Structures are given as C-alpha cells and as structure tokens.
C-alpha cells in the first residue's frame, strides 16, 4: 500500500512509478464532457468539407498529428438523426469509449471514420454525415434504432489513437498484449504529467482504462488479474486527482468509488474521495472517508491535516450560527412590575387590624 503524501509536495513516485498527483496547486484546463441538451450543440465555426457526404465543424481544437490508416482510435460520441433530432447513441452516458480502427470500421461507421481520420487527439467536432455513409437506405431497426435514409449528426471527441501496423483490435489481443498496451498508456500519462502536459495525460489514462474494460476484467484471475489491477486502479486514482483540480468533484468521487469497489482499504481512493466530498460540502461523508483512511494509515500527516481542517470548519460554522442567532429574538421579556392599588393595601391593613383586635378580645373572654 502506497502512502498518501503531504499535499504541498508536487509529485512523488510510488513503488510502481506512478506520479502522486496532488489535489491542490497549479490548475489546468481539460475539455469537460459536453452537456447533454435536447439536441446537437450549435456551432458557428467554419465548415470544412471532408467528403461529398461529410462535413466537420470544430468545437475544441486538438493537438499533435492526425491518425493514419489502420490506427486504433478511441472516441466518445453522440449521434442524432438530422431530420428528427432524435439521439440514438451516446458513449459519454454509457461511459464506454468506442474503439475504431480506421480502414476496418463497420460499414455504418464509414462517415464517422472519415471525420475521425481528419481530427487530432483531444479535438471535439460536429460531423454531418449523409445517409449513404451511415446506416444506408434500410436504416437499422435493432440497436441503435436509425430510420431509413437518415442523415446523421455526430458530436465526436478523439481521445487518442494508437499507430499499429495493420490495426489490431483489443478483442484480438492476448491478455499480455492488452495489459502491456494499457501499462504503456499509463506510463505515457505519467511522463506527460511530469512535463505538465496535463490534458494529454488525462487522455492517456482514459485510453489505458479502455483496455481494461469490464468484459476483459471478468475473464482474469490470479496473477493476470493482479497485473491488470496494478494498471487500472492507478489510472482511476490519477483521473480522480485531476477531476478534483478541475472542480469536477462528482466525477472524482466516481473514479475513487470504482477503485474502492475492488479494494475497500485503498488509502488513496478514500483520501481523494474525502477531498471531493469535502469540496461539495458533504462534511460528514468526507470525515467518514478520512477516518477510514486514517485507520489504514494512522501516521499519515495529510489525512490528519484534512481531519483538522474539517474540525476547524465545523467550529467556524458553529461560531457563525451562534453569532447569527445571538440577538435574533432579543433578550427574553421580563415581567413588568404591577401597579399596586393603595386602596387595596389599606383594606388589607384594616382587615388584619380587626383580625388581631378580635383575636385579643376573644383571648380575654376565655
């Protein structure tokens, strides 16, 4: 178990060479997942004609080179029928990257592949694809459900790509090849992180995770499962740290929870999930995560610091509330002194006088 380090340290290497991504310090920019509106986003950038039936408009610029034929591309996309604006597919919602090998794509993906081949890593764009390069004259009546002769609008982001000769899909790789490819992506991400090329690092981590999909992990056991988890979990943890920097706290919690589902004693996952929850104001839940982390790493200073900050926060909130309510209702009302009626006092005195006088006369008579 690697130890969670002080947050004022920039980055430290763990036993597997994983950079310790701190959750405070320099911020960076990474394109957030697009908002899922009622239809395709409106874009006013220049229209680029890629093919007679394919046009592209850039939403976010990418970087580096464009993929070549047989490159294995990893993309996220949403797809709508242009005439009805009906969305029929969304990989962001499904949280599953599409693997697209250029030149070996399915027939209905021809237009999408043309668009992707003209994009750079990190680029997000709108593609307009004619039905001839989509689901064709007949459409598709299973999943996804696409009507006949439907022109398609894609919102697509090229996360990254592998230049592999003749293209080799993940499903055709051996276990060792998939783990090795994922580990290379993780190491590339670590190197980019050290160079402060953080947007590119996030893309590398995301592609590494794509190699370790559930369909693959379910098949593993023994040493292969351990090898795969040693790649997959650090990528999720580094993604969580990046999401905290981006103030995308819900996503950070999601990545940490994935790790904790496999390893409930993972100190880094507990610590970073606690940080994200604290930022969302979920102080009780954050404290619970920090206390669990301290149980497994009792001497860790960073955990102690976060618990101290939560205690100070609670104390400050209590003081503010006390000050706020201190004079809200004012002092409790005091009973007003009653005006004494002198006539009543006189009659009380007179009755007491006659009572005493009558008492003496009675004693004499006895």
């Amino acid at each position: 178990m690697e130890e969670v380090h002080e947050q004022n340290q920039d980055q430290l290497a763990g036993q597997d060479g994983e950079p310790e991504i701190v959750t405070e310090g320099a911020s960076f920019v990474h394109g957030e997942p697009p908002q899922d509106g009622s239809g395709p986003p409106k874009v006013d950038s220049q229209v680029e004609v890629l093919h007679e039936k394919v046009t592209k408009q850039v939403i976010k610029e990418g970087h580096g080179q464009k993929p070549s034929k047989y490159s294995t591309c990893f993309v996220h996309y949403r797809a709508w029928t242009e005439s009805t604006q009906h969305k029929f597919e969304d990989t962001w919602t499904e949280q599953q990257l599409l693997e697209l090998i250029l030149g070996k794509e399915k027939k209905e993906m021809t237009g999408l592949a043309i668009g992707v081949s003209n994009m750079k890593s990190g680029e997000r764009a709108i593609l307009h694809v004619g039905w001839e390069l989509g689901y064709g004259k007949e459409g598709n009546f299973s999943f996804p459900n696409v009507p006949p002769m439907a022109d398609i609008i894609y919102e697509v982001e090229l996360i990254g790509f592998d230049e592999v000769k003749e293209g080799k899909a993940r499903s055709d790789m051996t276990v060792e090849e998939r783990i090795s490819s994922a580990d290379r992506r993780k190491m590339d991400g670590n190197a980019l992180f050290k160079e402060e090329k953080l947007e590119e690092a996030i893309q590398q981590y995301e592609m590494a995770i794509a190699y370790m999909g559930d369909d693959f992990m379910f098949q593993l056991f023994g040493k292969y499962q351990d090898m795969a988890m040693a790649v997959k979990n650090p990528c999720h943890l580094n993604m969580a740290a990046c999401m905290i920097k981006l103030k995308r706290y819900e996503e950070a919690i999601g990545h940490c929870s994935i790790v904790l589902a496999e390893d409930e004693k993972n100190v880094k996952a507990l610590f970073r999930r606690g940080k994200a929850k604290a930022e969302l104001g979920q102080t009780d839940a954050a404290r619970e995560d920090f206390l669990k982390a301290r149980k497994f790493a009792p001497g860790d200073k960073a955990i102690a610091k976060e618990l101290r900050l939560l205690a100070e926060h609670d104390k400050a909130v209590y003081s503010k509330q006390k000050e706020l309510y201190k004079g809200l209702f004012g002092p409790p009302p005091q009973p007003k002194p009653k005006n004494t009626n002198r006539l009543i006092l006189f009659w009380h005195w007179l009755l007491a006088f006659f009572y005493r006088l009558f008492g003496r006369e009675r004693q004499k008579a006895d």
Side-chain angles (χ1 to χ4, degrees), residues 108-358:
E108 62 268 20
M109 294 290 182
T110 303
L112 177 62
I114 291 172
V116 170
S117 67
N118 286 275
M119 297 173 67
K120 299 177 181 179
S121 293
E123 181 178 335
R124 188 185 302 151
I126 290 291
L127 302 177
H128 289 259
V129 176
W131 61 267
E132 297 89 345
L133 299 182
Y135 286 84
K137 187 175 181 179
E138 301 297 328
N140 192 60
F141 291 96
S142 58
F143 179 82
N145 185 9
V146 183
M149 301 178 66
D151 295 336
I152 300 172
I153 300 175
Y154 289 103
E155 179 183 9
V156 58
E157 180 171 357
L158 176 57
I159 303 301
F161 58 90
D162 273 329
E163 292 283 8
V164 181
K165 187 177 180 180
E166 294 303 318
K168 193 169 187 178
R170 286 174 294 174
S171 57
D172 296 330
M173 292 181 177
T174 65
V175 171
E176 291 87 349
E177 285 176 331
R178 284 186 72 155
I179 295 175
S180 177
S181 295
D183 188 57
R184 178 169 56 83
R185 286 295 186 187
K186 187 196 80 169
M187 299 305 293
D188 288 345
N190 294 350
L192 288 165
F193 177 80
K194 291 177 182 178
E195 296 173 12
E196 297 187 0
K197 296 179 180 179
L198 300 171
E199 182 176 347
E200 292 95 324
I202 290 172
Q203 292 166 351
Q204 295 297 324
Y205 292 136
E206 190 168 1
M207 283 190 286
I209 292 170
Y211 279 104
M212 303 286 105
D214 290 341
D215 59 334
F216 174 69
M217 297 298 292
F218 287 150
Q219 303 174 33
L220 302 182
F221 58 90
K223 71 172 185 178
Y224 289 116
Q225 186 178 51
D226 294 339
M227 289 167 61
M229 295 301 293
V231 176
K232 182 173 180 282
N233 281 352
C235 290
H236 279 297
L237 291 170
N238 284 354
M239 289 288 286
C242 293
M243 294 305 175
I244 291 172
K245 282 177 172 285
L246 291 167
K247 300 184 179 181
R248 289 158 58 178
Y249 303 119
E250 294 287 356
E251 292 173 78
I253 291 170
H255 281 286
C256 292
S257 296
I258 289 172
V259 176
L260 290 167
E262 300 288 344
D263 178 11
E264 63 181 6
K265 297 181 181 180
N266 192 293
V267 175
K268 287 183 184 179
L270 289 166
F271 179 80
R272 290 173 185 172
R273 191 171 73 172
K275 282 286 294 181
K277 288 178 178 179
E279 293 290 350
L280 288 172
Q282 301 172 7
T283 54
D284 290 341
R287 184 180 292 104
E288 183 178 351
D289 277 343
F290 288 137
L291 289 172
K292 285 181 182 177
R294 188 175 67 177
K295 179 181 177 182
F296 303 121
D300 192 274
K301 295 180 180 179
I303 298 171
K305 178 183 176 182
E306 294 301 326
L307 286 168
R308 186 172 64 252
L309 289 174
L310 281 181
E312 291 172 358
H313 173 268
D314 290 346
K315 185 177 179 181
V317 169
Y318 174 76
S319 296
K320 287 181 180 179
Q321 290 177 340
K322 186 177 179 181
E323 191 67 26
L324 177 65
Y325 292 113
K326 184 176 180 181
L328 190 61
F329 301 105
Q334 299 294 327
K336 295 181 179 180
K338 296 181 180 180
N339 294 327
T340 306
N341 192 311
R342 293 183 178 180
L343 183 60
I344 294 175
L345 289 175
F346 173 74
W347 278 110
H348 284 179
W349 176 83
L350 190 60
L351 288 172
F353 172 76
F354 280 113
Y355 177 78
R356 288 195 297 270
L357 182 62
F358 176 76

